[in-house]
Amino acid sequence: MMKDSESVPALRRAVKILDLVSSQDTPPNAATIARLLDLPRSSAHGLVTVMAELGLLETVGGSGGGGFRLGSRLLDWAVQVSPRQDLLNAFHQLIGERPELGAYTVSLSTLEGEDVVYVASRANEKGFGIHYNVGLRLPAMYTATGMAQLGAMEGTGLRKWLTLYPMSSWPTPPTTTGASAPVVVMDEIASVRRRGYAVDDEQVQVGVWCFAAPVHDLAGHVVAGLGISQPKPKDTLKQAEAMGRLVVSIAQTLSGRLGYRGRWGALGE
């Protein structure tokens, strides 16, 4: 078995091999790889053999003196990485184009199990203490971005999620200020289809409310929740409608840039 001290150099060599193979016009064989990377022939041969077995490389021109090209397994990984990068690029470009968003902290999260994971966030221009660090995990049922994604699911998808994460097992809410009873949360989740957005009314942070709408990809799948947050004002009724319309508009635009051309409901009609 390879020792831990040996595994890191081997991994680095494997990455260098992938970089080399991807840069060559003609698929290099093991001997060429060893020469260009200044590796022992035995090491290079062993690495490319294992990488081919794992689908990271593919042989070209027969097993004798054939060369190697990038394997199909890398494409499987790329399929997962590319849409996420497209989503993040479109998000950052969009919020940079909309000056009216400067008054809000704008966030983007994806649903992972019973949590949302924040993948992007931009703080508001006035420096209010509202920010969602990338990688932050929060219970999906208490966040606006989580409720927006759950509410946009097809009925069977939401029922499956509730089977995996029944209300009886839900974690303690982050605060005791906002509505936290499961039945009230479920009403908020159901409202997404009716009005197009969800509201976290001080459920995550006291004194802060967040409005969020679902983001769809080309195939119509819900891939994220986009939220706008600010300190909760005194005139909530007037502000709520304006924030709801704004977040739906931004989420629609982001979805459109990902190729979504589906029908919108509620505020999105």
Side-chain angles (χ1 to χ4, degrees):
M1 179 179 295
M2 183 176 292
K3 298 179 181 179
D4 290 343
S5 60
E6 297 173 341
S7 62
V8 173
L11 179 59
R12 293 181 185 279
R13 288 174 179 176
V15 172
K16 288 182 178 180
I17 290 172
L18 292 174
D19 287 339
L20 175 66
V21 170
S22 67
S23 68
Q24 300 298 299
D25 295 329
T26 302
N29 57 25
T32 301
I33 291 172
R35 177 173 55 82
L36 293 176
L37 294 179
D38 194 24
L39 297 175
R41 284 201 174 195
S42 59
S43 296
H45 179 77
L47 280 169
V48 297
T49 299
V50 173
M51 293 170 71
E53 290 176 356
L54 295 175
L56 302 178
L57 295 175
E58 293 179 353
T59 56
V60 180
S63 58
F68 293 91
R69 65 185 178 193
L70 296 181
S72 59
R73 191 168 187 176
L74 296 173
L75 296 177
D76 295 336
W77 292 343
V79 167
Q80 300 297 322
V81 173
S82 181
R84 171 68 65 90
Q85 195 58 49
D86 291 343
L87 171 64
L88 295 179
N89 289 341
F91 169 80
H92 288 295
Q93 181 180 29
L94 177 58
I95 62 174
E97 296 171 355
R98 303 290 290 262
E100 69 271 32
L101 292 176
Y104 307 99
T105 290
V106 190
S107 60
L108 193 71
S109 78
T110 57
L111 186 65
E112 292 189 11
E114 66 178 343
D115 296 333
V116 290
V117 178
Y118 288 85
V119 295
S121 177
R122 193 209 59 184
N124 59 78
E125 294 175 350
K126 295 184 178 180
F128 296 129
I130 308 168
H131 190 64
Y132 304 91
N133 293 327
V134 172
L136 173 68
R137 302 182 75 96
L138 290 173
M141 66 289 295
Y142 301 127
T143 65
T145 56
M147 290 185 284
Q149 293 175 78
L150 292 170
M153 286 182 176
E154 295 296 332
T156 54
L158 181 57
R159 286 192 293 272
K160 182 178 179 180
W161 186 87
L162 286 169
T163 299
L164 294 172
Y165 311 104
M167 290 184 284
S168 60
S169 71
W170 286 4
T172 303
T175 75
T176 59
T177 305
S180 58
V183 64
V184 177
V185 174
M186 287 305 301
D187 285 344
E188 184 63 31
I189 290 172
S191 72
V192 174
R193 286 190 175 275
R194 183 177 70 254
R195 67 189 182 193
Y197 62 90
V199 183
D200 153 23
D201 190 358
E202 300 187 83
Q203 288 168 260
V204 171
Q205 187 173 342
V206 176
V208 174
W209 65 352
C210 177
F211 289 64
V215 178
H216 301 261
D217 66 6
L218 174 63
H221 301 136
V222 179
V223 293
L226 185 144
I228 56 174
S229 306
Q230 68 170 190
K232 188 176 179 180
K234 293 182 179 180
D235 186 4
T236 58
L237 186 62
K238 182 178 180 180
Q239 288 264 11
E241 183 176 352
M243 289 182 70
R245 290 189 178 278
L246 176 60
V247 77
V248 169
S249 171
I250 299 299
Q252 284 182 2
T253 302
L254 181 56
S255 298
R257 293 189 181 185
L258 297 177
Y260 181 64
R261 297 294 182 268
R263 181 180 180 276
W264 293 95
L267 289 179
E269 290 184 327

